[in-house]
Amino acid sequence: MVQSGAAIAFGGTQGVYRHASSATGTDMTFSVYVPPHAPGAKLPVLWYLSGLTCTHANVTDKGEYRAACAEAGIIFVAPDTSPRGADVPDDDAYDFGQGAGFYVDATQAPWAANFRMRMYIEEELPALIAATFPADMARQGITGHSMGGHGALTIGLRNPDRFKSISAFAPIVSPLNCPWGEKALGGYLGPDRAAWRGYDACALIEDGARVPELLVDQGDADQFLTDQLKPDLLRAACDAAGIDLTLRLQPGYDHSYYFISTFMADHVRWHAARLAR
């Protein structure tokens, strides 16, 4: 692993790192903020998964999480959204290919060779974080935005024993029922929609996945709200399953990092309270 950048912020260290990934067969870049802490202390970890077109840099530069993480004593990890490189398959559209990994393990050519973001986020990168940083891997939370909100919900629902807290900003709650999801899951996984259900938060809940609670913030001026995000589908699934969903429709907010940064500290504090238990 190579550290490609580091800076002091709120008494902690913001670093950017690159390593060779066996999951994707490429170099992958991620950022980690480690708050100030006593020598030998182990700290809870909050994962943040980014949305379409993003890299680790979007939230690192614009997420405004460091003050809250320093106050709460939480490590903040921000991976990239897909494998990248000249030899990695890509697509001309913004919502497929590089920058749009959808946190799946692709099964279709040519994507299957590199697009194994589920394995990368669920297995490879956590092992690297545990070995390299003062992380208490028994206390992990996960959040994300848009496509990354989809990733946070589905990864959290598939791994309830690992992730003690799950939240999202404007998530794609049901890729089975929106154009972004149908394009991505069809392209990466093929036409069998039954194979998509493990990557759909509403379907996972319908199929028996259970967590105690979820927190979702959604802007009511989000241009993707009606056609792509459809938070009412998640509300219905959680109501039917008895999952405590806090769904906050924030008036006037759009899909941007202005929205995310406004509520980021609140999410960090929400996770901190649950990871302290």
Side-chain angles (χ1 to χ4, degrees):
M1 184 177 74
V2 176
Q3 183 171 343
S4 57
I8 301 300
F10 297 96
T13 303
Q14 177 66 66
V16 177
Y17 306 88
R18 187 178 71 255
H19 73 114
S21 167
S22 59
T24 67
T26 67
D27 283 353
M28 294 293 291
T29 301
F30 62 96
S31 74
V32 178
Y33 176 71
V34 179
H37 60 282
K42 292 288 189 178
L43 307 176
V45 179
L46 180 58
W47 295 82
Y48 177 90
L49 305 184
S50 294
L52 288 166
T53 75
C54 290
T55 70
H56 71 283
N58 297 75
V59 70
T60 305
D61 294 344
K62 298 183 288 188
E64 299 185 24
Y65 55 84
R66 279 172 284 267
C69 286
E71 180 181 353
I74 287 181
I75 294 172
F76 191 96
V77 181
D80 200 350
T81 53
S82 78
R84 300 178 190 272
D87 297 330
V88 176
D90 200 6
D91 189 270
D92 290 337
Y94 77 95
D95 56 356
F96 195 71
Q98 294 188 38
F102 261 80
Y103 304 100
V104 307
D105 281 353
T107 59
Q108 304 299 299
W111 313 102
N114 303 108
F115 281 71
R116 294 193 294 271
M117 289 301 294
R118 174 179 178 174
M119 180 185 297
Y120 180 69
I121 298 297
E122 291 188 359
E123 299 177 22
E124 184 177 14
L125 189 53
L128 182 59
I129 296 298
T132 310
F133 298 93
D136 180 356
M137 303 304 280
R139 293 186 292 159
Q140 296 183 71
I142 191 166
T143 188
H145 170 236
S146 193
M147 178 187 73
H150 139 77
L153 292 174
T154 55
I155 291 170
L157 285 164
R158 287 196 304 262
N159 299 277
D161 294 336
R162 179 184 304 178
F163 296 101
K164 309 303 183 186
S165 54
I166 306 167
S167 75
F169 301 87
I172 303 169
V173 305
S174 184
L176 281 156
N177 292 289
C178 74
W180 278 339
E182 290 184 347
K183 177 178 181 177
L185 298 189
Y188 294 135
L189 304 177
D192 181 6
R193 292 174 69 90
W196 302 5
R197 294 186 68 84
Y199 296 107
D200 182 299
C202 294
L204 283 165
I205 292 169
E206 291 168 3
D207 293 345
R210 294 292 182 269
V211 294
E213 59 183 333
L214 300 169
L215 170 63
V216 172
D217 273 303
Q218 170 67 62
D220 73 357
D222 191 319
Q223 65 269 40
F224 304 115
L225 176 59
T226 301
D227 294 335
Q228 303 281 12
L229 306 178
K230 304 183 179 182
D232 286 343
L233 295 178
L234 182 63
R235 187 196 303 275
C238 288
D239 285 349
I243 294 174
D244 181 7
L245 169 66
T246 300
L247 174 58
R248 305 188 300 200
L249 201 61
Q250 303 291 359
Y253 284 91
D254 61 13
H255 200 68
S256 72
Y257 267 88
Y258 297 113
F259 158 65
I260 299 166
S261 64
T262 298
F263 300 101
M264 177 65 84
D266 194 31
H267 279 241
V268 171
R269 289 189 291 265
W270 185 87
H271 285 276
R274 283 142 186 85
L275 297 177
R277 294 173 183 171

